[in-house]
Amino acid sequence: MTAGEPPRVGLLTLVPFDQVDLDVWHRLRDAAAELDSPYFHPGFAAAVHATGRDVKVVVVADRDDRVTGLMPVHRDRSVLSPLGSPAADFQGPLLAVGSRFPVRRLLSGGVRTFEFDHLATGVADFAPWIESCRVSPFLDVSGGFEAYLGRASRSGRANMAQARRHLARAERTLGPVSFRVDNPDAGVLAKLIELKRRQYAATGARDYFGRPDRVELMSRLLRTRSTEFGGILSTLCAGPHLLAAHFGIRSDRVLHWWFPVYDPAYAQLAPGWMLLRELVIAASTVGVERIDLGRGEDEYKRRAKTGETQVFQGMVTRSMRRRAVRAGLAALSDSPLGPPARRLVREFRSRECRPGPHDRGS
């Protein structure tokens, strides 16, 4: 192999999660800055696996049997899907510097498709199968709240100022305002899930928490009490009233904004903005320097963000028919006919790609 040439791929295997060398996992992750999201931490895979949802890992090795890549997945008959999908907001392989991922070799051993919707790494290798891309905003909160405001847009600063006024109003009308950045109370997590399920029902979205293993995943993550990796539940109250809450996952300096919710009874106070403001202020107390908001162009994300990255959607398959139908439906879902088109996409995926749909619906 000449200098600068990527290591040659010698082997790709699919192995159970508990047979993977986690020291190798940490080594690959620590060597690449783009892998600092908690979704790439082995603790996330361990928590998902412990709920009973089987995790497999694609292991890529060079011709000298050195591991150059890992990608955790789920296998459902002939279909591979990313770890934790549909609630994994960053997906992709963990690769050694200069290594490549042999995407076509995923379609072996009876595997017919690998579908991804938040691909963040290995993009060059997956390029032939990418169908679209979406923005994934983030907040740079390093240096504290004032430093964040210096990086935020004018509308972001205006909303943060308005949130401060709403906090004062809540205190006058409802009682003393209290914010806990890291609340380990399992009862509060249950309340968050209850409010989230009501939100899904009110908006017609698919109920992510309709499956017990997903509720169990939240509980396991909340019980993981480590600065290296774990769940983090933040709550905003006024007197005895829970105004808003958020459950996310963090790893080292990165917090991923995952399941925010507010009590609609206090919607006039914009409790979501109040919660986000308090979280930005408190981020430094738990060592957080970046808050990833996840894919989406919601107005509050657009206003609050200080930057954004991209994530990609597509499907690895040999079937040109599937790719053509998916591409057409994806284009339609971005049109004014978006909501019914997205239902068609879900129906197509459930028929063609897997025995049962796993959409989060959030």
Side-chain angles (χ1 to χ4, degrees):
M1 184 171 64
T2 61
E5 181 183 346
R8 293 173 297 174
V9 175
L11 185 65
L12 184 149
T13 55
L14 189 65
V15 303
F17 170 74
D18 52 15
Q19 293 181 16
V20 175
D21 186 339
L22 296 187
D23 289 337
V24 173
W25 191 312
H26 282 293
R27 174 174 55 79
L28 290 173
R29 182 172 181 266
D30 293 346
E34 66 269 23
L35 296 173
D36 62 356
S37 166
Y39 287 108
F40 294 114
H41 194 283
F44 182 63
V48 174
H49 190 67
T51 67
R53 189 179 182 193
D54 192 36
V55 175
K56 304 290 187 184
V57 180
V58 178
V59 179
V60 182
D62 64 18
R63 298 193 186 279
D64 296 319
D65 291 329
R66 291 177 298 213
V67 175
T68 61
L70 299 171
M71 187 171 72
V73 297
H74 302 291
R75 181 166 184 176
D76 193 348
R77 299 184 186 180
S78 64
V79 175
L80 292 184
S81 58
L83 169 70
S85 58
D89 291 343
F90 288 108
Q91 306 160 358
L94 297 86
L95 293 173
V97 176
S99 297
R100 303 295 300 272
F101 190 85
V103 178
R104 286 184 174 85
R105 295 193 190 182
L106 288 173
L107 305 180
S108 61
V111 173
R112 294 168 54 197
T113 60
F114 172 69
E115 186 176 0
F116 52 91
D117 56 4
H118 291 78
L119 186 75
T121 66
V123 173
D125 295 315
F126 281 87
W129 294 275
I130 288 174
E131 299 165 355
S132 61
C133 68
R134 303 287 172 83
V135 297
S136 183
F138 62 83
L139 278 62
D140 181 350
V141 296
S142 60
F145 185 62
E146 293 302 322
Y148 159 76
L149 290 179
R151 290 183 285 263
S153 66
R154 179 181 299 179
S155 62
R157 293 193 298 272
N159 277 97
M160 289 295 178
Q162 186 178 53
R164 176 177 51 79
R165 294 190 291 272
H166 281 314
L167 278 166
R169 178 184 170 192
E171 192 149 45
R172 289 194 306 270
T173 59
L174 299 173
V177 170
S178 61
F179 174 75
R180 294 188 65 177
V181 64
D182 189 6
N183 186 344
D185 190 333
V188 177
L189 177 61
K191 178 65 174 177
L192 179 148
I193 292 172
E194 177 190 344
L195 287 171
K196 201 69 182 175
R197 297 191 73 177
R198 289 182 189 173
Q199 177 189 346
Y200 292 146
T203 60
R206 185 163 298 182
D207 183 359
Y208 173 78
F209 293 110
R211 287 177 40 170
D213 62 301
R214 295 171 179 172
V215 177
E216 171 63 16
L217 176 61
M218 301 299 109
S219 298
R220 285 185 174 275
L221 290 169
L222 183 64
R223 295 195 300 268
T224 305
R225 311 301 299 164
S226 169
T227 57
E228 181 184 337
F229 174 82
I232 183 167
L233 173 63
S234 302
T235 55
L236 178 68
C237 297
H241 311 286
L242 178 67
L243 303 184
H246 167 256
F247 184 79
I249 48 177
R250 61 85 52 87
S251 178
D252 300 315
R253 66 183 188 88
V254 179
L255 169 64
H256 195 92
W257 179 261
W258 203 11
F259 290 102
V261 71
Y262 64 86
D263 189 332
Y266 307 107
Q268 74 278 6
L269 294 171
W273 272 103
M274 293 195 294
L275 176 74
L276 185 58
R277 179 180 185 273
E278 295 304 298
L279 186 56
V280 172
I281 291 172
S284 62
T285 66
V286 289
V288 168
E289 297 183 0
R290 189 180 82 234
I291 300 174
D292 287 330
L293 296 179
R295 189 186 83 185
E297 299 180 75
D298 310 72
E299 184 178 0
Y300 83 92
K301 293 183 181 184
R302 180 178 58 81
R303 290 174 180 269
K305 71 180 181 180
T306 61
E308 63 187 30
T309 184
Q310 290 183 321
V311 292
F312 299 83
Q313 300 78 49
M315 174 190 280
V316 180
T317 178
R318 293 192 178 95
S319 171
M320 296 305 295
R321 181 181 71 86
R322 287 183 180 178
R323 294 186 66 185
V325 172
R326 280 173 50 84
L329 290 175
L332 185 60
S333 70
D334 288 334
S335 74
L337 298 175
R342 282 190 284 274
R343 286 195 293 273
L344 287 174
V345 171
R346 287 197 295 267
E347 291 171 8
F348 173 76
R349 288 172 177 171
S350 67
R351 287 197 312 269
E352 297 289 322
C353 304
R354 52 174 66 98
H358 302 308
D359 291 343
R360 174 168 46 158
S362 62

